[in-house]
């Protein structure tokens, strides 16, 4: 027995015991497909012809969340104006018409009434004679050719001036310069004695019934020059909350908004209830092309949702005078920024706005339920 136990002890001592162990590994794969994007949606109805002072053009602008992630959104408005304005100095009439000379739009039905109503007094740059009257098919009287100016079409190139009797010995003058098939406007010319003016804007009364040779020689063509670029020094863009609009005032050729004669004023008409849905913050220094701030949407824009309208139309203000420009192009660019929401697990209101507050400083958002309020730090 003792020997047997000893052998057993030896065997036990030299044995290796094995314990079965179990392990498991599970891979939990979480997938996310974030289609994050916002865009601008608008309804824009351009004018059929020229944009006239006082004419309102439909331009309805909203933001749409095209993705599947909720987002904060804001918009800003940028303005660019380009075109041409009359050059007060004009250009001398020469055999070759300068490219800057302003053409008359002869496609308009009343162009003849505008420029040649009355009696033809000067043809081709020289005072008319009885022989000219015969050639032109009119009657020569008091230094003028009496002719049906509504039907008159000059055959030869040159300067043509027409007079209109206002009352008694007072006359006004208008006219044009013909070169080939083109007709050109005449510049406003006031001589030292002030008694003869060819005016393309408003006809002036004078006492001379027939211009002299010196007066004829002084007539110039109307010329155009490019409008200055929009800048902080020649443009103001003011948010008028009480009247639901932004008033853009551009200084025109003299680049001075304080002189109203050549100012170009454009009203960006905002939705009547825009203040209920958007908050305007003047949150940066503008460059004259902007309103110096953003419009912040007063709610989180849910995936697939469209915001309430911000802009509804644009109007060229009725106060704009016809000497402000000869050609005008206005570009309104709507910028859209967005930040996706990233609430914590508890979805506290504070956690919703953490990301946007760090991104859009100095604008600060606060959320309460579905409403978002914005303040400037």
């Amino acid at each position: 027995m003792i020997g047997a136990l000893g052998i057993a002890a030896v065997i036990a001592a030299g044995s290796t015991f094995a314990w079965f162990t179990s392990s498991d590994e599970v891979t939990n794969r979480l997938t996310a497909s974030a289609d994050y994007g916002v865009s601008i949606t608008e309804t824009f109805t351009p004018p059929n012809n020229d944009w006239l002072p006082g004419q309102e053009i439909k331009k309805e602008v909203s933001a749409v969340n095209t993705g599947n992630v909720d987002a904060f959104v804001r918009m800003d408005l940028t303005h660019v104006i380009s075109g041409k304005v009359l050059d007060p100095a004009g250009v001398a009439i020469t055999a070759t018409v300068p490219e800057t000379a302003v053409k008359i739009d002869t496609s308009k039905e009343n162009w003849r009434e505008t420029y040649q109503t009355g009696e033809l007094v000067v043809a081709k740059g020289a005072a008319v004679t009885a022989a000219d009257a015969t050639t032109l098919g009119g009657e020569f009287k008091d230094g003028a050719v009496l002719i049906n100016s509504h039907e008159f079409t000059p055959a030869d190139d040159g300067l043509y001036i027409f007079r209109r009797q206002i009352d008694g010995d007072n006359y006004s003058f208008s006219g044009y310069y013909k070169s080939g098939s083109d007709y050109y406007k005449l510049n406003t010319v006031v001589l030292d004695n002030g008694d003869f003016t060819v005016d393309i804007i408003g006809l002036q009364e004078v006492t001379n019934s027939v211009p002299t040779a010196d007066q004829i020689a002084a007539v110039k063509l109307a010329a155009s020059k490019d409008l200055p670029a929009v800048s902080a020094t020649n443009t103001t863009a003011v948010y008028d909350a009480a009247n639901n609009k932004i008033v853009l005032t551009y200084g025109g050729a003299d680049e001075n908004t304080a002189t109203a004669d050549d100012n170009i004023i454009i009203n960006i008409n905002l939705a009547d209830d825009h203040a209920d849905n958007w908050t305007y913050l003047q949150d940066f220094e503008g460059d004259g092309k902007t309103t110096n701030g953003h419009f912040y949407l007063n709610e989180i824009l849910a995936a697939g949702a469209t915001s309430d309208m911000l802009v509804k139309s644009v109007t060229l203000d009725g106060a704009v005078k016809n000497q402000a420009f000869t050609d005008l192009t206005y570009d309104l660019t709507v910028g859209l920024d967005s930040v996706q929401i990233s609430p914590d697990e508890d979805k506290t209101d504070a956690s919703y706005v953490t990301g946007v507050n760090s991104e859009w400083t100095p604008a600060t958002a606060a959320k309460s339920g579905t409403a978002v309020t914005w303040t400037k730090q």
Side-chain angles (χ1 to χ4, degrees):
M1 288 291 294
I2 293 174
L5 290 173
I7 294 171
V10 172
I11 295 173
S15 297
T16 300
F17 292 89
W19 283 267
F20 290 99
T21 63
S22 176
S23 67
D24 193 10
E25 183 177 277
V26 176
T27 300
N28 294 308
R29 177 167 293 173
L30 305 179
T31 62
S33 176
D35 181 10
Y36 177 65
V38 294
S39 64
I40 295 170
T41 178
E42 72 166 8
T43 300
F44 175 53
T45 306
N48 292 329
N49 296 303
D50 292 335
W51 190 22
L52 303 176
Q55 184 179 8
E56 183 175 353
I57 303 301
K58 183 178 182 180
K59 183 179 177 68
E60 297 178 346
V61 178
S62 302
V64 58
N65 190 337
T66 59
N68 59 12
V69 179
D70 297 349
F72 296 96
V73 298
R74 68 180 182 181
M75 289 187 180
D76 68 284
L77 307 176
T78 302
H79 318 278
V80 176
I81 289 176
S82 61
K84 294 184 179 297
V85 67
L86 292 178
D87 185 346
V91 292
I93 296 175
T94 60
T96 302
V97 179
E99 292 184 359
T100 58
V102 180
K103 290 183 181 180
I104 294 172
D105 185 359
T106 56
S107 65
K108 295 184 177 180
E109 294 181 357
N110 64 341
W111 82 270
R112 291 189 183 278
E113 286 82 350
T114 301
Y115 296 99
Q116 63 179 52
T117 296
E119 302 164 334
L120 177 64
V121 296
V122 175
K124 298 189 293 181
V128 294
T129 63
D132 294 320
T134 301
T135 301
L136 294 169
E139 177 188 355
F140 184 72
K141 182 179 180 181
D142 299 330
V145 175
L146 307 183
I147 197 168
N148 185 345
S149 59
H150 292 280
E151 298 178 357
F152 173 70
T153 301
D156 299 325
D157 290 352
L159 175 66
Y160 292 84
I161 295 177
F162 302 81
R163 76 177 183 190
R164 310 175 195 187
Q165 188 167 6
I166 305 300
D167 59 73
D169 294 329
N170 291 323
Y171 297 87
S172 65
F173 294 83
S174 62
Y176 50 75
Y177 181 79
K178 178 182 180 297
S179 177
S181 59
D182 295 320
Y183 294 77
Y184 295 89
K185 294 181 179 180
L186 302 181
N187 196 49
T188 302
V189 178
V190 180
L191 303 180
D192 291 339
N193 60 10
D195 64 0
F196 179 77
T197 302
V198 176
D199 189 353
I200 66 169
I201 296 173
L203 298 177
Q204 305 295 316
E205 294 184 5
V206 296
T207 55
N208 282 14
S209 62
V210 179
T212 65
D214 290 340
Q215 292 169 337
I216 295 170
V219 174
K220 294 182 178 181
L221 298 180
S224 64
K225 60 182 181 179
D226 291 336
L227 285 166
V230 169
S231 68
T233 58
N234 67 6
T235 311
T236 61
V238 178
Y239 173 51
D240 182 357
N243 294 299
N244 299 312
K245 64 181 179 180
I246 297 168
V247 180
L248 177 73
T249 304
Y250 169 69
D254 65 1
E255 303 191 59
N256 184 0
T257 56
T259 54
D261 284 348
D262 64 341
N263 282 350
I264 298 171
I265 304 169
I266 296 173
N267 298 317
I268 299 91
N269 306 305
L270 305 173
D272 294 340
D273 61 349
H274 83 279
D276 296 331
N277 306 308
W278 299 83
T279 297
Y280 173 72
L281 296 180
Q282 191 171 349
D283 53 4
F284 65 90
E285 293 297 325
D287 60 1
K289 296 181 181 180
T290 70
T291 54
N292 301 350
H294 292 89
F295 288 88
Y296 294 81
L297 186 63
N298 294 341
E299 63 178 348
I300 295 173
L301 189 59
T306 300
S307 73
D308 290 288
M309 184 169 60
L310 176 60
V311 178
K312 71 172 184 178
S313 63
V314 182
T315 304
L316 183 61
D317 197 283
V320 175
K321 298 182 179 180
N322 59 358
Q323 62 261 46
F325 62 88
T326 59
D327 179 59
L328 176 66
T329 299
Y330 170 62
D331 293 326
L332 171 60
T333 301
V334 181
L336 176 64
D337 296 326
S338 66
V339 174
Q340 72 178 65
I341 64 166
S342 301
D344 60 16
E345 187 175 357
D346 294 333
K347 294 186 177 181
T348 61
D349 285 343
S351 69
Y352 274 82
V353 299
T354 299
V356 72
N357 286 344
S358 62
E359 184 73 19
W360 284 350
T361 302
T364 301
K367 177 180 175 296
S368 176
T370 58
V372 178
T373 56
W374 299 90
T375 56
K376 181 180 177 182
Q377 292 180 353

